[in-house]
Each structure stands twice: as C-alpha cells, then as structure tokens.
Amino acid sequence: MATSAYWRTRFQRYRLIGNRCKECGKVFFPPRFVCPACGSVKLEEYKLPERGKLVEYTVVYTAPKGYEVMTPYVIGIVELEDGVRVLAQITDVDVEDVKEGMEVEASIRRLPEQLEGGMICYTYKFRPVIK
Amino acid sequence: MVSVEGGVLRPSDDVGIAGYGVYIPIYRIKALEIARVWGKFYDHLPVEEKAVAGPDEDAVTIAIEAARYAIRRAGIRPEEIEAVYVGTESKPYAVKPCSTIVAEALGATPNVLAADYEFACKAGTEAFQTSIGLVASNMVRYAMAIGVDTAQSRPADALEYTAAAGGGAFIFTRRNCETIAYIEGSYSFVTDTPDFWRRDGDMYPSHMGRFTGEPAYFRHTTMAAKGLMSELGLRPSDFSYAVFHQPNPKFPLKLAQYLGIPLDKVKPSIVCSSIGNTYSGSSMIGLASVLDIAKPGDRILLVSYGSGAGSDAFSFVVQDAIEEKRNRAPKVSSFIYRKKEIDYSLYAKFRRKIFM
C-alpha cells in the first residue's frame, strides 16, 4: 500500500470513521464523496459503533503474500449496532470456534509488511468481545 | 508544579487517576513447552506460562487496546486528552513515535503532546511522573501514560521463559470525586548499572545473569521504596497493597521480605506466573490488578524497576469512585482467563523467529 493512500485513510482504519448523507441519511463506510442513493454531495463525518455481530464469514487457507503467517484466518461481515455492515478480518479466534452471531468488537491490528523497511500499516479488525 | 523535597516528587496540586485499562494478548505458551524444545530440566521453571503477541499485534496495537479501556473507565472524550506518553522497549519503528499512532487511533490528535519513553521495564512509570507533573502544573487537564511491551528473547536463553507481551494505560487528572486514586508522592533511584541491554540493531537483548538480582533489581527497588516511605513519613504497615515489578514471581516476594511487607499484600498484584514478564507493562498490570479489588481508603505502594538501572516508587490512596469505575472495562482477571495455548512452532511463527 502506498504511504500516501494509507495516510489518507487512517481515520477510517483507526477509528471506523465513515460518513452520512445529510439529505437521505444513508451511511457509508468507507466514506464517499457523493451519495450514490440521492446524488447529494452534502455528507458529514459519522463514527461507526465498535460493537456488532458476525453475520457471515469465510476461512482463508490460501493467503496472499505476506498473510501466510496468519493462515487459516477468518474474513467476515460484521453488522454493527446501528445496522451498518463492515467487511473485516476476525482475529483472536480459531477457525473451529468462529460462529455466526458471535459478538465482536473493533480492534486495531497490524497488517503484514509489504516492503522490508517500509511503513507499518495498522487497520481495524474485529475480535470476540472481552467481558 | 512538582516540588522536590529531599528527593521525593510531590505534586503541589493533588493529582489522581481518572481511569485505567490493560490489554494482554490471547496467546500463551507454557514454560514446559519451551523447556521441552531446548531439552532443559522441567524443575524450577520461573513461570507457568507467558502471554505471546499474535502475528498481527505489536506494542502499538496493545497500547491502543489498553488506552481505549482506560478512556472507557475515565468516562471522558478522547479529544480531552492533552498528552499521550508510551513507554516501551519494543518500538515497532526505531525512528517514528508509537505515541503519534496511539494518539491518532484514540482520537486525541492533533492538539496533544506525544512522545515515547524508554527505560527498559520502567518506561511506563517514567510516563506516570511526566503526566503527574503536567497535570499538577495545570499545563494539561488529562494526560495518559502507557507502559507496554512485546518483549524480545533469544531462543534458548533464560529470558525466553518469561519475556511476554502486555500493557496498561493510566489517565491522570486533578484529584476530584471522579478520580479513583490520588497520588501522595513519587521517589526515584537511578544509577548506571549494566544488568541488561539491547544494542542498536540487535534483535535480542543481553543480560548479566545473577548480576540482575542483588546489585540491580533489589538495590534499586529497595532504595526507591525506602526513600519514598521515609520522605512521606510512611511505614510498610501503612500500605494495604504493594505492587512491585515482576520479572518472575520470586523477586517481588523476596523484595517484600526485604521491606518488611507481608506477602499477602503483594500476592494480589502478582500475575507473572500466568502471563510472564510484560516488561514496561508489568508494573501497570500489577497496579491494575490491585485497583480491580481495592477498597476506598486503601493505600498502594507501587515500585517499578528498569534495567540500566532505576526504580520509581509511588504511593496512591484509593478513592470512592473505584467501586463503580472498575466495572466499566474488563478486569485483569478477564484477560488472564481469556487464553489460547500455542506450541513452540506457532510461537516461533508469531514472534517472527522463522524467516520466510
């Protein structure tokens, strides 16, 4: 990932910051410049909730380069408390323990390094809620 | 401002802890498994098991997790935090602060002081002192001090049994009815003692074996604790709990005997047997363990230790707000019981001991 692209997207990666259309109220994550529902360009920053439920998932056994250290790992769709759905890696869970409906919360984790000596990228993942 | 009287750092305005949080990675490796791999005797292993950072974790991610729980307990908005200090010897970048990433992830940027501290295992309590000073001098309203590590250890070295991952975050503010404990004073004892080091560019640290005990850990911790008690006019019996840096479970118990503190006042803070030595996180997690169970009015002695070498001692008095605030975020015991055991192969993969 280009350093500049990572830097531009750091708020959504670190804090789940999306945006919401002021005209029709639709929420977008990642944020958009134009609302695809009503065409409005009036969008405001919107902080997504950090808790939700895993609604769908799949297990990755053959990973892209750099991700081999984590295989097998889980990618899933999380429905947050406000109904917004986010695609993310589910971490800290064994493949045999993951199940639909499990309560998860946002965490921040490190992505595999793509270049030796390059920038370290951090992004949101979800893990089971710690009680 | 912080006033210095005979070596004690005593804030001129009362400072308290607004919130605290810890984070310990889910993975554990048993000391028995490490001993098995290296063909060592199974008797006298220093700990039962230690916490291991996952392949997607490092000091920054652990710091952010702990800090978010601290904010939850404090009940403040992230943008109210005006200083973020991260103490660690496991910096993912040699040059680039952890604290900027942590502050940005929390939402405390851009109007925030941010810096990293390094003093082996006592970098976190250094951050305590800076935060307390900034709050006492009215330069900031809320300051966050984090101690965190994903400790490095050379394969087959004695440190491999204990070098662990974890961290704690504490938010300081002026003492009020919402602070959970206030500080009475701090006292530091520092000398140039080469007991443990890691040279620039080296992956693993070197240490001086038995030399790390008497002239290093015990001398500095004892002097700091005695100096603090002397300056504040306190005796060991005035403390309900004592929290000491825990490189292994034996050292803090032996230190308690040196200081004349009953072992049952120290044991509630000792988590080293279950999670290992979390280095800069050790004193923080020990203090959090005690705050998880302490009652209002309890006085807590905290003594950190960092190789190189030095100790920072603190006296805290627990306040009423602890009863409600401690339940706002997971306690240390939640993290101790949340665990997945891994074998040495996975450990080697997770800790990047296998080069691909």
Side-chain angles (χ1 to χ4, degrees), chain B residues 50-53 58-59 62 88-90 121 148-154 159-160 162-166 196 198 203-205 276-281 347 351 353:
Chain B
K50 69 170 186 175
V52 179
D58 62 19
I62 295 170
T88 183
E89 61 173 73
S90 319
C121 300
V148 60
D149 264 306
T150 55
Q152 311 88 39
S153 56
R154 191 181 304 279
L159 289 180
E160 194 175 32
T162 55
F196 168 102
R198 179 161 63 85
M203 276 185 73
Y204 301 119
N277 178 5
T278 52
Y279 285 46
S280 295
Y347 167 72
R351 298 307 302 142
K353 293 174 192 288

PDB file of all heavy atoms in Angstrom, chain B residues 50-53 58-59 62 88-90 121 148-154 159-160 162-166 196 198 203-205 276-281 347 351 353:
ATOM      1  N   LYS B  50       3.413 -17.857  29.571  1.00  0.00           N
ATOM      2  CA  LYS B  50       3.563 -16.421  29.298  1.00  0.00           C
ATOM      3  C   LYS B  50       2.677 -16.022  28.127  1.00  0.00           C
ATOM      4  O   LYS B  50       2.348 -16.849  27.254  1.00  0.00           O
ATOM      5  CB  LYS B  50       5.022 -16.078  29.011  1.00  0.00           C
ATOM      6  CG  LYS B  50       5.559 -16.632  27.698  1.00  0.00           C
ATOM      7  CD  LYS B  50       6.925 -16.028  27.386  1.00  0.00           C
ATOM      8  CE  LYS B  50       7.425 -16.440  26.011  1.00  0.00           C
ATOM      9  NZ  LYS B  50       8.676 -15.787  25.633  1.00  0.00           N
ATOM     10  N   ALA B  51       2.304 -14.743  28.113  1.00  0.00           N
ATOM     11  CA  ALA B  51       1.455 -14.207  27.045  1.00  0.00           C
ATOM     12  C   ALA B  51       2.313 -13.894  25.824  1.00  0.00           C
ATOM     13  O   ALA B  51       3.409 -13.340  25.954  1.00  0.00           O
ATOM     14  CB  ALA B  51       0.744 -12.948  27.527  1.00  0.00           C
ATOM     15  N   VAL B  52       1.782 -14.240  24.659  1.00  0.00           N
ATOM     16  CA  VAL B  52       2.512 -14.055  23.406  1.00  0.00           C
ATOM     17  C   VAL B  52       1.667 -13.185  22.472  1.00  0.00           C
ATOM     18  O   VAL B  52       0.478 -13.453  22.286  1.00  0.00           O
ATOM     19  CB  VAL B  52       2.777 -15.418  22.738  1.00  0.00           C
ATOM     20  CG1 VAL B  52       3.524 -15.241  21.426  1.00  0.00           C
ATOM     21  CG2 VAL B  52       3.547 -16.344  23.670  1.00  0.00           C
ATOM     22  N   ALA B  53       2.280 -12.162  21.906  1.00  0.00           N
ATOM     23  CA  ALA B  53       1.554 -11.316  20.955  1.00  0.00           C
ATOM     24  C   ALA B  53       1.249 -12.117  19.699  1.00  0.00           C
ATOM     25  O   ALA B  53       2.093 -12.884  19.219  1.00  0.00           O
ATOM     26  CB  ALA B  53       2.393 -10.085  20.616  1.00  0.00           C
ATOM     27  N   ASP B  58       1.493  -5.775  18.057  1.00  0.00           N
ATOM     28  CA  ASP B  58       2.786  -5.241  18.478  1.00  0.00           C
ATOM     29  C   ASP B  58       2.535  -4.262  19.627  1.00  0.00           C
ATOM     30  O   ASP B  58       1.397  -4.157  20.131  1.00  0.00           O
ATOM     31  CB  ASP B  58       3.551  -4.607  17.303  1.00  0.00           C
ATOM     32  CG  ASP B  58       2.842  -3.411  16.678  1.00  0.00           C
ATOM     33  OD1 ASP B  58       1.957  -2.825  17.345  1.00  0.00           O
ATOM     34  OD2 ASP B  58       3.169  -3.047  15.537  1.00  0.00           O
ATOM     35  N   ALA B  59       3.570  -3.558  20.039  1.00  0.00           N
ATOM     36  CA  ALA B  59       3.419  -2.664  21.197  1.00  0.00           C
ATOM     37  C   ALA B  59       2.369  -1.586  20.937  1.00  0.00           C
ATOM     38  O   ALA B  59       1.649  -1.173  21.854  1.00  0.00           O
ATOM     39  CB  ALA B  59       4.770  -2.030  21.537  1.00  0.00           C
ATOM     40  N   ILE B  62      -1.278  -3.128  21.219  1.00  0.00           N
ATOM     41  CA  ILE B  62      -1.596  -3.426  22.630  1.00  0.00           C
ATOM     42  C   ILE B  62      -1.828  -2.128  23.396  1.00  0.00           C
ATOM     43  O   ILE B  62      -2.753  -2.026  24.213  1.00  0.00           O
ATOM     44  CB  ILE B  62      -0.473  -4.273  23.263  1.00  0.00           C
ATOM     45  CG1 ILE B  62      -0.409  -5.651  22.580  1.00  0.00           C
ATOM     46  CG2 ILE B  62      -0.681  -4.433  24.770  1.00  0.00           C
ATOM     47  CD1 ILE B  62       0.807  -6.482  22.954  1.00  0.00           C
ATOM     48  N   THR B  88       8.020   2.004  26.255  1.00  0.00           N
ATOM     49  CA  THR B  88       8.224   0.649  25.723  1.00  0.00           C
ATOM     50  C   THR B  88       9.668   0.461  25.284  1.00  0.00           C
ATOM     51  O   THR B  88      10.348   1.432  24.954  1.00  0.00           O
ATOM     52  CB  THR B  88       7.283   0.387  24.527  1.00  0.00           C
ATOM     53  OG1 THR B  88       7.468  -0.957  24.079  1.00  0.00           O
ATOM     54  CG2 THR B  88       7.533   1.331  23.376  1.00  0.00           C
ATOM     55  N   GLU B  89      10.109  -0.792  25.286  1.00  0.00           N
ATOM     56  CA  GLU B  89      11.389  -1.104  24.647  1.00  0.00           C
ATOM     57  C   GLU B  89      11.156  -2.004  23.437  1.00  0.00           C
ATOM     58  O   GLU B  89      12.074  -2.633  22.941  1.00  0.00           O
ATOM     59  CB  GLU B  89      12.350  -1.757  25.644  1.00  0.00           C
ATOM     60  CG  GLU B  89      11.868  -3.076  26.227  1.00  0.00           C
ATOM     61  CD  GLU B  89      12.947  -3.758  27.070  1.00  0.00           C
ATOM     62  OE1 GLU B  89      13.214  -3.277  28.178  1.00  0.00           O
ATOM     63  OE2 GLU B  89      13.508  -4.762  26.604  1.00  0.00           O
ATOM     64  N   SER B  90       9.901  -2.063  22.982  1.00  0.00           N
ATOM     65  CA  SER B  90       9.541  -2.898  21.828  1.00  0.00           C
ATOM     66  C   SER B  90       8.960  -2.031  20.723  1.00  0.00           C
ATOM     67  O   SER B  90       7.932  -2.365  20.119  1.00  0.00           O
ATOM     68  CB  SER B  90       8.504  -3.948  22.237  1.00  0.00           C
ATOM     69  OG  SER B  90       8.788  -4.512  23.479  1.00  0.00           O
ATOM     70  N   CYS B 121      12.231  -1.781  31.661  1.00  0.00           N
ATOM     71  CA  CYS B 121      10.892  -2.110  32.163  1.00  0.00           C
ATOM     72  C   CYS B 121      10.215  -0.994  32.950  1.00  0.00           C
ATOM     73  O   CYS B 121       9.101  -1.191  33.432  1.00  0.00           O
ATOM     74  CB  CYS B 121      10.959  -3.372  33.021  1.00  0.00           C
ATOM     75  SG  CYS B 121      11.555  -4.804  32.131  1.00  0.00           S
ATOM     76  N   VAL B 148       4.018  -0.616  27.920  1.00  0.00           N
ATOM     77  CA  VAL B 148       3.656  -1.762  27.074  1.00  0.00           C
ATOM     78  C   VAL B 148       4.915  -2.400  26.506  1.00  0.00           C
ATOM     79  O   VAL B 148       5.896  -1.716  26.256  1.00  0.00           O
ATOM     80  CB  VAL B 148       2.714  -1.297  25.931  1.00  0.00           C
ATOM     81  CG1 VAL B 148       3.373  -0.242  25.060  1.00  0.00           C
ATOM     82  CG2 VAL B 148       2.246  -2.460  25.081  1.00  0.00           C
ATOM     83  N   ASP B 149       4.876  -3.696  26.319  1.00  0.00           N
ATOM     84  CA  ASP B 149       5.989  -4.358  25.640  1.00  0.00           C
ATOM     85  C   ASP B 149       5.545  -5.647  24.976  1.00  0.00           C
ATOM     86  O   ASP B 149       4.578  -6.291  25.406  1.00  0.00           O
ATOM     87  CB  ASP B 149       7.140  -4.653  26.613  1.00  0.00           C
ATOM     88  CG  ASP B 149       8.199  -3.565  26.571  1.00  0.00           C
ATOM     89  OD1 ASP B 149       8.685  -3.278  25.467  1.00  0.00           O
ATOM     90  OD2 ASP B 149       8.510  -2.974  27.631  1.00  0.00           O
ATOM     91  N   THR B 150       6.254  -5.997  23.919  1.00  0.00           N
ATOM     92  CA  THR B 150       6.222  -7.353  23.360  1.00  0.00           C
ATOM     93  C   THR B 150       7.685  -7.788  23.462  1.00  0.00           C
ATOM     94  O   THR B 150       8.463  -7.633  22.535  1.00  0.00           O
ATOM     95  CB  THR B 150       5.749  -7.351  21.885  1.00  0.00           C
ATOM     96  OG1 THR B 150       6.575  -6.461  21.130  1.00  0.00           O
ATOM     97  CG2 THR B 150       4.311  -6.908  21.770  1.00  0.00           C
ATOM     98  N   ALA B 151       8.040  -8.262  24.638  1.00  0.00           N
ATOM     99  CA  ALA B 151       9.449  -8.420  24.999  1.00  0.00           C
ATOM    100  C   ALA B 151      10.161  -9.439  24.109  1.00  0.00           C
ATOM    101  O   ALA B 151       9.606 -10.476  23.759  1.00  0.00           O
ATOM    102  CB  ALA B 151       9.551  -8.825  26.454  1.00  0.00           C
ATOM    103  N   GLN B 152      11.399  -9.108  23.799  1.00  0.00           N
ATOM    104  CA  GLN B 152      12.199  -9.981  22.927  1.00  0.00           C
ATOM    105  C   GLN B 152      13.059 -10.915  23.784  1.00  0.00           C
ATOM    106  O   GLN B 152      13.508 -10.539  24.868  1.00  0.00           O
ATOM    107  CB  GLN B 152      13.133  -9.157  22.040  1.00  0.00           C
ATOM    108  CG  GLN B 152      12.466  -7.989  21.318  1.00  0.00           C
ATOM    109  CD  GLN B 152      12.451  -6.728  22.147  1.00  0.00           C
ATOM    110  OE1 GLN B 152      13.414  -6.431  22.835  1.00  0.00           O
ATOM    111  NE2 GLN B 152      11.359  -5.985  22.080  1.00  0.00           N
ATOM    112  N   SER B 153      13.290 -12.114  23.264  1.00  0.00           N
ATOM    113  CA  SER B 153      14.178 -13.043  23.961  1.00  0.00           C
ATOM    114  C   SER B 153      14.832 -13.976  22.950  1.00  0.00           C
ATOM    115  O   SER B 153      14.170 -14.480  22.044  1.00  0.00           O
ATOM    116  CB  SER B 153      13.413 -13.847  25.006  1.00  0.00           C
ATOM    117  OG  SER B 153      12.330 -14.520  24.403  1.00  0.00           O
ATOM    118  N   ARG B 154      16.106 -14.175  23.137  1.00  0.00           N
ATOM    119  CA  ARG B 154      16.864 -15.055  22.242  1.00  0.00           C
ATOM    120  C   ARG B 154      16.417 -16.507  22.469  1.00  0.00           C
ATOM    121  O   ARG B 154      16.268 -16.931  23.620  1.00  0.00           O
ATOM    122  CB  ARG B 154      18.355 -14.925  22.579  1.00  0.00           C
ATOM    123  CG  ARG B 154      19.297 -15.561  21.571  1.00  0.00           C
ATOM    124  CD  ARG B 154      20.745 -15.387  22.048  1.00  0.00           C
ATOM    125  NE  ARG B 154      21.095 -13.996  22.282  1.00  0.00           N
ATOM    126  CZ  ARG B 154      21.441 -13.131  21.333  1.00  0.00           C
ATOM    127  NH1 ARG B 154      21.522 -13.538  20.093  1.00  0.00           N
ATOM    128  NH2 ARG B 154      21.716 -11.878  21.630  1.00  0.00           N
ATOM    129  N   LEU B 159      15.749 -15.883  29.402  1.00  0.00           N
ATOM    130  CA  LEU B 159      14.664 -14.898  29.283  1.00  0.00           C
ATOM    131  C   LEU B 159      13.482 -15.430  28.480  1.00  0.00           C
ATOM    132  O   LEU B 159      12.371 -14.912  28.585  1.00  0.00           O
ATOM    133  CB  LEU B 159      15.165 -13.627  28.600  1.00  0.00           C
ATOM    134  CG  LEU B 159      16.122 -12.718  29.362  1.00  0.00           C
ATOM    135  CD1 LEU B 159      16.495 -11.532  28.498  1.00  0.00           C
ATOM    136  CD2 LEU B 159      15.479 -12.245  30.660  1.00  0.00           C
ATOM    137  N   GLU B 160      13.729 -16.450  27.654  1.00  0.00           N
ATOM    138  CA  GLU B 160      12.646 -16.915  26.786  1.00  0.00           C
ATOM    139  C   GLU B 160      11.460 -17.469  27.573  1.00  0.00           C
ATOM    140  O   GLU B 160      10.328 -17.437  27.098  1.00  0.00           O
ATOM    141  CB  GLU B 160      13.168 -17.977  25.803  1.00  0.00           C
ATOM    142  CG  GLU B 160      12.179 -18.227  24.675  1.00  0.00           C
ATOM    143  CD  GLU B 160      12.697 -19.168  23.615  1.00  0.00           C
ATOM    144  OE1 GLU B 160      13.477 -20.069  23.946  1.00  0.00           O
ATOM    145  OE2 GLU B 160      12.304 -19.002  22.448  1.00  0.00           O
ATOM    146  N   THR B 162      10.163 -16.186  30.203  1.00  0.00           N
ATOM    147  CA  THR B 162       9.353 -15.139  30.832  1.00  0.00           C
ATOM    148  C   THR B 162       9.011 -13.961  29.919  1.00  0.00           C
ATOM    149  O   THR B 162       8.003 -13.281  30.162  1.00  0.00           O
ATOM    150  CB  THR B 162      10.071 -14.577  32.074  1.00  0.00           C
ATOM    151  OG1 THR B 162      11.380 -14.141  31.688  1.00  0.00           O
ATOM    152  CG2 THR B 162      10.185 -15.620  33.170  1.00  0.00           C
ATOM    153  N   ALA B 163       9.831 -13.648  28.920  1.00  0.00           N
ATOM    154  CA  ALA B 163       9.636 -12.418  28.116  1.00  0.00           C
ATOM    155  C   ALA B 163       8.279 -12.460  27.420  1.00  0.00           C
ATOM    156  O   ALA B 163       8.070 -13.276  26.517  1.00  0.00           O
ATOM    157  CB  ALA B 163      10.764 -12.274  27.103  1.00  0.00           C
ATOM    158  N   ALA B 164       7.376 -11.580  27.828  1.00  0.00           N
ATOM    159  CA  ALA B 164       5.965 -11.690  27.443  1.00  0.00           C
ATOM    160  C   ALA B 164       5.439 -10.393  26.844  1.00  0.00           C
ATOM    161  O   ALA B 164       6.184  -9.413  26.669  1.00  0.00           O
ATOM    162  CB  ALA B 164       5.144 -12.096  28.658  1.00  0.00           C
ATOM    163  N   ALA B 165       4.153 -10.392  26.534  1.00  0.00           N
ATOM    164  CA  ALA B 165       3.522  -9.230  25.900  1.00  0.00           C
ATOM    165  C   ALA B 165       2.301  -8.777  26.690  1.00  0.00           C
ATOM    166  O   ALA B 165       1.504  -9.605  27.137  1.00  0.00           O
ATOM    167  CB  ALA B 165       3.108  -9.585  24.473  1.00  0.00           C
ATOM    168  N   GLY B 166       2.176  -7.466  26.839  1.00  0.00           N
ATOM    169  CA  GLY B 166       1.016  -6.903  27.526  1.00  0.00           C
ATOM    170  C   GLY B 166       1.282  -5.449  27.871  1.00  0.00           C
ATOM    171  O   GLY B 166       2.417  -4.967  27.737  1.00  0.00           O
ATOM    172  N   PHE B 196      21.374  -5.361  31.915  1.00  0.00           N
ATOM    173  CA  PHE B 196      20.575  -5.863  30.784  1.00  0.00           C
ATOM    174  C   PHE B 196      20.582  -4.766  29.734  1.00  0.00           C
ATOM    175  O   PHE B 196      20.434  -3.594  30.062  1.00  0.00           O
ATOM    176  CB  PHE B 196      19.166  -6.142  31.314  1.00  0.00           C
ATOM    177  CG  PHE B 196      18.098  -6.401  30.298  1.00  0.00           C
ATOM    178  CD1 PHE B 196      17.669  -7.699  30.038  1.00  0.00           C
ATOM    179  CD2 PHE B 196      17.478  -5.358  29.617  1.00  0.00           C
ATOM    180  CE1 PHE B 196      16.645  -7.943  29.125  1.00  0.00           C
ATOM    181  CE2 PHE B 196      16.469  -5.595  28.698  1.00  0.00           C
ATOM    182  CZ  PHE B 196      16.051  -6.899  28.463  1.00  0.00           C
ATOM    183  N   ARG B 198      20.074  -3.992  25.104  1.00  0.00           N
ATOM    184  CA  ARG B 198      19.977  -4.459  23.719  1.00  0.00           C
ATOM    185  C   ARG B 198      20.622  -3.397  22.853  1.00  0.00           C
ATOM    186  O   ARG B 198      20.202  -2.237  22.874  1.00  0.00           O
ATOM    187  CB  ARG B 198      18.510  -4.685  23.322  1.00  0.00           C
ATOM    188  CG  ARG B 198      18.362  -5.138  21.873  1.00  0.00           C
ATOM    189  CD  ARG B 198      17.002  -5.795  21.622  1.00  0.00           C
ATOM    190  NE  ARG B 198      15.884  -4.892  21.821  1.00  0.00           N
ATOM    191  CZ  ARG B 198      15.422  -4.063  20.888  1.00  0.00           C
ATOM    192  NH1 ARG B 198      15.991  -3.997  19.700  1.00  0.00           N
ATOM    193  NH2 ARG B 198      14.379  -3.278  21.142  1.00  0.00           N
ATOM    194  N   MET B 203      18.493  -7.981  17.510  1.00  0.00           N
ATOM    195  CA  MET B 203      17.118  -8.481  17.690  1.00  0.00           C
ATOM    196  C   MET B 203      16.820  -8.812  19.141  1.00  0.00           C
ATOM    197  O   MET B 203      15.691  -8.702  19.599  1.00  0.00           O
ATOM    198  CB  MET B 203      16.918  -9.765  16.871  1.00  0.00           C
ATOM    199  CG  MET B 203      16.558  -9.546  15.425  1.00  0.00           C
ATOM    200  SD  MET B 203      16.227 -11.128  14.628  1.00  0.00           S
ATOM    201  CE  MET B 203      14.638 -11.570  15.326  1.00  0.00           C
ATOM    202  N   TYR B 204      17.863  -9.298  19.844  1.00  0.00           N
ATOM    203  CA  TYR B 204      17.626  -9.810  21.191  1.00  0.00           C
ATOM    204  C   TYR B 204      18.531  -9.126  22.216  1.00  0.00           C
ATOM    205  O   TYR B 204      19.659  -8.747  21.905  1.00  0.00           O
ATOM    206  CB  TYR B 204      17.889 -11.324  21.223  1.00  0.00           C
ATOM    207  CG  TYR B 204      17.026 -12.101  20.266  1.00  0.00           C
ATOM    208  CD1 TYR B 204      17.592 -12.845  19.244  1.00  0.00           C
ATOM    209  CD2 TYR B 204      15.643 -12.075  20.383  1.00  0.00           C
ATOM    210  CE1 TYR B 204      16.798 -13.556  18.357  1.00  0.00           C
ATOM    211  CE2 TYR B 204      14.847 -12.784  19.504  1.00  0.00           C
ATOM    212  CZ  TYR B 204      15.421 -13.526  18.495  1.00  0.00           C
ATOM    213  OH  TYR B 204      14.625 -14.217  17.627  1.00  0.00           O
ATOM    214  N   PRO B 205      18.059  -9.018  23.446  1.00  0.00           N
ATOM    215  CA  PRO B 205      18.872  -8.375  24.488  1.00  0.00           C
ATOM    216  C   PRO B 205      19.924  -9.312  25.076  1.00  0.00           C
ATOM    217  O   PRO B 205      19.840 -10.534  24.934  1.00  0.00           O
ATOM    218  CB  PRO B 205      17.828  -8.011  25.546  1.00  0.00           C
ATOM    219  CG  PRO B 205      16.736  -8.994  25.371  1.00  0.00           C
ATOM    220  CD  PRO B 205      16.717  -9.380  23.925  1.00  0.00           C
ATOM    221  N   GLY B 276       3.657 -14.106  32.396  1.00  0.00           N
ATOM    222  CA  GLY B 276       5.073 -13.823  32.182  1.00  0.00           C
ATOM    223  C   GLY B 276       5.432 -12.393  32.563  1.00  0.00           C
ATOM    224  O   GLY B 276       4.647 -11.678  33.198  1.00  0.00           O
ATOM    225  N   ASN B 277       6.619 -11.988  32.156  1.00  0.00           N
ATOM    226  CA  ASN B 277       7.109 -10.641  32.444  1.00  0.00           C
ATOM    227  C   ASN B 277       6.778  -9.740  31.261  1.00  0.00           C
ATOM    228  O   ASN B 277       7.351  -9.887  30.182  1.00  0.00           O
ATOM    229  CB  ASN B 277       8.630 -10.695  32.670  1.00  0.00           C
ATOM    230  CG  ASN B 277       9.227  -9.319  32.916  1.00  0.00           C
ATOM    231  OD1 ASN B 277       8.503  -8.326  33.015  1.00  0.00           O
ATOM    232  ND2 ASN B 277      10.542  -9.255  33.015  1.00  0.00           N
ATOM    233  N   THR B 278       5.853  -8.825  31.474  1.00  0.00           N
ATOM    234  CA  THR B 278       5.427  -7.933  30.396  1.00  0.00           C
ATOM    235  C   THR B 278       6.257  -6.650  30.360  1.00  0.00           C
ATOM    236  O   THR B 278       5.834  -5.650  29.780  1.00  0.00           O
ATOM    237  CB  THR B 278       3.928  -7.608  30.513  1.00  0.00           C
ATOM    238  OG1 THR B 278       3.664  -7.141  31.835  1.00  0.00           O
ATOM    239  CG2 THR B 278       3.072  -8.829  30.253  1.00  0.00           C
ATOM    240  N   TYR B 279       7.419  -6.666  30.984  1.00  0.00           N
ATOM    241  CA  TYR B 279       8.383  -5.559  30.939  1.00  0.00           C
ATOM    242  C   TYR B 279       7.729  -4.222  31.332  1.00  0.00           C
ATOM    243  O   TYR B 279       7.292  -4.081  32.454  1.00  0.00           O
ATOM    244  CB  TYR B 279       9.069  -5.525  29.558  1.00  0.00           C
ATOM    245  CG  TYR B 279      10.111  -6.628  29.392  1.00  0.00           C
ATOM    246  CD1 TYR B 279       9.861  -7.953  29.769  1.00  0.00           C
ATOM    247  CD2 TYR B 279      11.367  -6.351  28.865  1.00  0.00           C
ATOM    248  CE1 TYR B 279      10.822  -8.952  29.622  1.00  0.00           C
ATOM    249  CE2 TYR B 279      12.342  -7.345  28.709  1.00  0.00           C
ATOM    250  CZ  TYR B 279      12.050  -8.643  29.090  1.00  0.00           C
ATOM    251  OH  TYR B 279      12.988  -9.621  28.952  1.00  0.00           O
ATOM    252  N   SER B 280       7.644  -3.283  30.408  1.00  0.00           N
ATOM    253  CA  SER B 280       7.067  -1.979  30.782  1.00  0.00           C
ATOM    254  C   SER B 280       5.604  -2.110  31.185  1.00  0.00           C
ATOM    255  O   SER B 280       5.064  -1.231  31.863  1.00  0.00           O
ATOM    256  CB  SER B 280       7.175  -0.984  29.625  1.00  0.00           C
ATOM    257  OG  SER B 280       8.519  -0.703  29.347  1.00  0.00           O
ATOM    258  N   GLY B 281       4.965  -3.192  30.776  1.00  0.00           N
ATOM    259  CA  GLY B 281       3.574  -3.410  31.170  1.00  0.00           C
ATOM    260  C   GLY B 281       3.433  -4.015  32.552  1.00  0.00           C
ATOM    261  O   GLY B 281       2.342  -4.008  33.137  1.00  0.00           O
ATOM    262  N   TYR B 347       4.537 -20.344  18.227  1.00  0.00           N
ATOM    263  CA  TYR B 347       5.221 -19.244  18.916  1.00  0.00           C
ATOM    264  C   TYR B 347       6.334 -18.673  18.026  1.00  0.00           C
ATOM    265  O   TYR B 347       6.460 -17.454  17.855  1.00  0.00           O
ATOM    266  CB  TYR B 347       5.778 -19.769  20.241  1.00  0.00           C
ATOM    267  CG  TYR B 347       6.771 -18.891  20.944  1.00  0.00           C
ATOM    268  CD1 TYR B 347       6.384 -17.716  21.578  1.00  0.00           C
ATOM    269  CD2 TYR B 347       8.125 -19.249  21.008  1.00  0.00           C
ATOM    270  CE1 TYR B 347       7.309 -16.926  22.239  1.00  0.00           C
ATOM    271  CE2 TYR B 347       9.050 -18.475  21.670  1.00  0.00           C
ATOM    272  CZ  TYR B 347       8.643 -17.311  22.282  1.00  0.00           C
ATOM    273  OH  TYR B 347       9.561 -16.521  22.931  1.00  0.00           O
ATOM    274  N   ARG B 351       6.230 -14.879  16.545  1.00  0.00           N
ATOM    275  CA  ARG B 351       7.243 -13.923  17.013  1.00  0.00           C
ATOM    276  C   ARG B 351       8.317 -13.663  15.970  1.00  0.00           C
ATOM    277  O   ARG B 351       9.388 -13.167  16.268  1.00  0.00           O
ATOM    278  CB  ARG B 351       7.871 -14.410  18.325  1.00  0.00           C
ATOM    279  CG  ARG B 351       6.888 -14.547  19.478  1.00  0.00           C
ATOM    280  CD  ARG B 351       6.088 -13.267  19.725  1.00  0.00           C
ATOM    281  NE  ARG B 351       6.948 -12.129  19.991  1.00  0.00           N
ATOM    282  CZ  ARG B 351       6.700 -10.897  19.537  1.00  0.00           C
ATOM    283  NH1 ARG B 351       5.652 -10.653  18.799  1.00  0.00           N
ATOM    284  NH2 ARG B 351       7.529  -9.915  19.810  1.00  0.00           N
ATOM    285  N   LYS B 353      10.357 -15.560  14.466  1.00  0.00           N
ATOM    286  CA  LYS B 353      11.636 -16.253  14.624  1.00  0.00           C
ATOM    287  C   LYS B 353      11.903 -17.164  13.421  1.00  0.00           C
ATOM    288  O   LYS B 353      12.943 -17.786  13.318  1.00  0.00           O
ATOM    289  CB  LYS B 353      11.651 -17.068  15.928  1.00  0.00           C
ATOM    290  CG  LYS B 353      11.619 -16.177  17.185  1.00  0.00           C
ATOM    291  CD  LYS B 353      11.480 -16.995  18.448  1.00  0.00           C
ATOM    292  CE  LYS B 353      11.155 -16.124  19.651  1.00  0.00           C
ATOM    293  NZ  LYS B 353      12.273 -15.300  20.109  1.00  0.00           N
TER     294      LYS B 353
END
